Amino acid sequence: MEESKKIALVTGASKGIGKGIALKLAACHYDVFIVGRDVNALEKVSREVSGLGVNCAYKAIDLSLPESAEAVVAAVIQEYGQLDLLVNNAGYASALKVSETSIDVWDKTFALNARAPFFISKAAVEHLQNSTKPIIINISSVVGFKGYANQAAYASSKHALTGFTKVLAKEVQPLGIQVHLISPGGVNTEMVQEMRPDIDTTELIQVEEIAEIVEFIVSRKGKGTIDHFYIRRGSGLPFD
Ligand SMILES: NC(=O)c1ccc[n+]([C@@H]2O[C@H](COP(=O)([O-])OP(=O)(O)OC[C@H]3O[C@@H](n4cnc5c(N)ncnc54)[C@H](OP(=O)(O)O)[C@@H]3O)[C@@H](O)[C@H]2O)c1
């Protein structure tokens, strides 16, 4: 029997890791809904994703605004009538020490990296619980567990996302919703090129490697609980 169509919402998919995940999900036969602020970039990604033979709708919206979380989930439901997979990927990073961090930077970082995933997930749960394979994937970072100097607001916000993910995973397990956290080290995108221009880009994790983890999550058949994927650059020490 043919499996029913699955719908994925991917935030921050106008470029970088989110774009890679959207393309991978299309290859896994998901219809996709992508979100970012840059409407031209979203349109371009949407065409690329649709080229793989699935539907791809998009919405240009600033997820750091409080009202955006419910608006985005409502837009997905209006477009497709269901939601099976939520990937909270959109993120903002700045290379600032504690002493250099303003309240504005702190608020902007937390609004996107911590508050948006919290409230998008909150709005998504009532729809996900109707899915036959409901999944939430939050994209954190190694700095969701570690403290690197000069990443004050960013590391704090990713710790908040990690904490939220641990709570959410337990609360929605009885509803059959799987929650996963992916915590990468440096990935070859614009974000890391701006944050860490000192790192040789050939050393960085490739976007495809993060997309492959998502592919594994959505395609695995096992029932065992898998929660956290921690991936560092090839030169990174294992278990560090
Ligand atoms: N690159 C790394 O080394 C690395 C490592 C660990 C974790 N991560 C995490 O991975 C995720 C993706 O990062 P990336 O490297 O792909 O970054 P990126 O290339 O800078 O892409 C960020 C994405 O988020 C979207 N975005 C940013 N601000 C937004 C806002 N206010 N509202 C809606 N969308 C917004 C951007 O779209 P618009 O520009 O169109 O708004 C873009 O699609 C982030 O959560 C990041 O923290 C990255």
Side-chain angles (χ1 to χ4, degrees):
M1 201 173 65
E2 206 188 311
E3 247 192 81
S4 61
K5 197 74 191 173
K6 296 273 184 289
I7 308 299
L9 164 59
V10 185
T11 70
S14 58
K15 59 184 176 184
I17 295 171
K19 176 183 172 186
I21 291 173
L23 287 165
K24 183 62 79 184
L25 289 170
C28 295
H29 312 295
Y30 276 79
D31 282 344
V32 188
F33 193 104
I34 56 173
V35 177
R37 290 164 304 173
D38 182 340
V39 72
N40 294 326
L42 287 170
E43 216 266 318
K44 235 170 121 192
V45 173
S46 166
R47 263 189 275 123
E48 230 180 294
V49 171
S50 315
L52 297 173
V54 301
N55 295 305
C56 183
Y58 61 88
K59 186 172 179 72
I61 191 166
D62 184 347
L63 290 174
S64 63
L65 302 174
E67 61 273 21
S68 296
E70 285 190 8
V72 157
V73 173
V76 176
I77 298 305
Q78 189 177 11
E79 181 72 30
Y80 294 116
Q82 70 184 78
L83 179 63
D84 303 279
L85 168 64
L86 164 63
V87 184
N88 283 306
N89 166 76
Y92 168 74
S94 54
L96 294 170
K97 296 178 194 300
V98 172
S99 60
E100 298 164 340
T101 301
S102 65
I103 289 179
D104 280 355
V105 167
W106 170 274
D107 284 349
K108 178 177 169 181
T109 310
F110 267 72
L112 185 64
N113 297 0
R115 186 176 64 197
F118 188 109
F119 286 99
I120 295 171
S121 302
K122 182 182 173 198
V125 163
E126 70 168 288
H127 305 288
L128 286 166
Q129 63 184 330
N130 299 325
S131 168
T132 52
K133 194 174 169 96
I135 301 171
I136 297 174
I137 300 173
N138 289 340
I139 309 296
S140 185
S141 162
V142 291
V143 300
F145 291 83
K146 289 183 170 196
Y148 287 166
N150 307 325
Q151 300 192 15
Y154 182 58
S156 304
S157 70
K158 290 296 188 180
H159 272 73
L161 178 61
T162 299
F164 161 58
T165 306
K166 291 177 180 174
V167 172
L168 180 71
K170 292 197 171 78
E171 289 190 3
V172 301
Q173 189 183 38
L175 303 175
I177 303 174
Q178 291 179 23
V179 179
H180 303 280
L181 188 69
I182 302 178
S183 302
V187 184
N188 194 6
T189 67
E190 280 175 30
M191 178 184 279
V192 82
Q193 286 152 20
E194 281 162 22
M195 285 278 286
R196 296 287 308 271
D198 55 303
I199 303 179
D200 172 4
T201 52
T202 59
E203 246 224 70
L204 292 166
I205 301 162
Q206 298 305 305
V207 165
E208 176 67 14
E209 297 180 64
I210 308 302
E212 280 172 359
I213 296 173
V214 172
E215 179 181 31
F216 167 74
I217 291 170
V218 301
S219 55
R220 81 189 190 97
K221 301 269 184 275
K223 288 264 181 278
T225 297
I226 301 179
D227 40 28
H228 187 206
F229 296 81
Y230 196 56
I231 170 170
R232 269 132 302 140
R233 283 182 276 146
S235 58
L237 284 177
F239 297 103
D240 186 32

